[in-house]
Amino acid sequence: MTTAKDIMHPGAQWIPAHETLDRAAQLMREKEVGSLLIADEQERLAGILTDRDIVVGCVARGHDPSKITAGDLAQGTPRWIDSDADVGEVLREMQTHQIRRLPVIQDKRLVGMISEADLAGHLTEAQMGAWVEQVYARG
């Protein structure tokens, strides 16, 4: 059985919710990633911040990224999956909630992230096609 831990990439990064978006962008550049997990004051998952969120949710609206925090852009209920979950559970979680990145938790600790690229390396072409259809569906 293939599990979330088998397909994830390790080393996902946290950023505190109080950290500014300019610092988040710098950290993304340093770590060569396109997203960061947002942690609240109790180090719990508060959301995911993407490079697109910074551009569309801040810069394109004329806001100053040095004055907007990661927490300001955190929306909705954060989704995650246990490291022992099988790939079917991973797909269902991502498809049901139309998400493209899924944090992986083991023993209440962040151990990695699953992205489209991670899925592509472990799914058949038909499975990947069905995943894309569900996750990118509008409405």
Side-chain angles (χ1 to χ4, degrees):
M1 170 181 86
T2 302
T3 66
K5 192 169 186 174
D6 296 329
I7 63 175
M8 71 175 199
H9 59 273
Q13 281 292 158
W14 288 102
I15 189 164
H18 68 270
E19 196 65 69
T20 60
L21 296 183
D22 61 339
R23 179 61 191 127
Q26 292 164 2
L27 186 56
M28 286 180 191
R29 184 191 66 227
E30 289 168 16
K31 301 295 182 181
E32 297 181 352
V33 297
S35 65
L36 298 169
L37 296 166
I38 303 170
D40 68 12
E41 297 79 25
Q42 290 78 40
E43 295 187 359
R44 294 178 306 204
L45 181 62
I48 297 177
L49 177 68
T50 67
D51 47 8
R52 185 176 191 282
D53 293 333
I54 294 170
V55 171
V56 174
C58 178
V59 177
R61 292 186 173 168
H63 299 297
D64 182 348
S66 69
K67 295 188 176 13
I68 306 292
T69 67
D72 291 336
L73 293 186
Q75 298 176 4
T77 302
R79 310 305 307 180
W80 56 273
I81 195 106
D82 189 85
S83 63
D84 292 330
D86 70 45
V87 71
E89 292 174 73
V90 170
L91 293 175
R92 276 189 298 281
E93 184 71 14
M94 294 176 88
Q95 289 171 330
T96 300
H97 300 286
Q98 293 185 304
I99 54 177
R100 295 175 223 153
R101 294 172 180 90
L102 187 63
V104 180
I105 305 294
Q106 181 177 344
D107 300 322
K108 298 183 182 181
R109 309 276 310 157
L110 174 68
V111 293
M113 180 84 80
I114 297 173
S115 68
E116 286 177 81
D118 301 316
L119 291 177
H122 290 87
L123 299 179
T124 66
E125 203 170 302
Q127 287 174 312
M128 195 66 200
W131 181 85
V132 166
E133 188 175 300
Q134 288 293 313
V135 170
Y136 286 94
R138 301 213 182 228

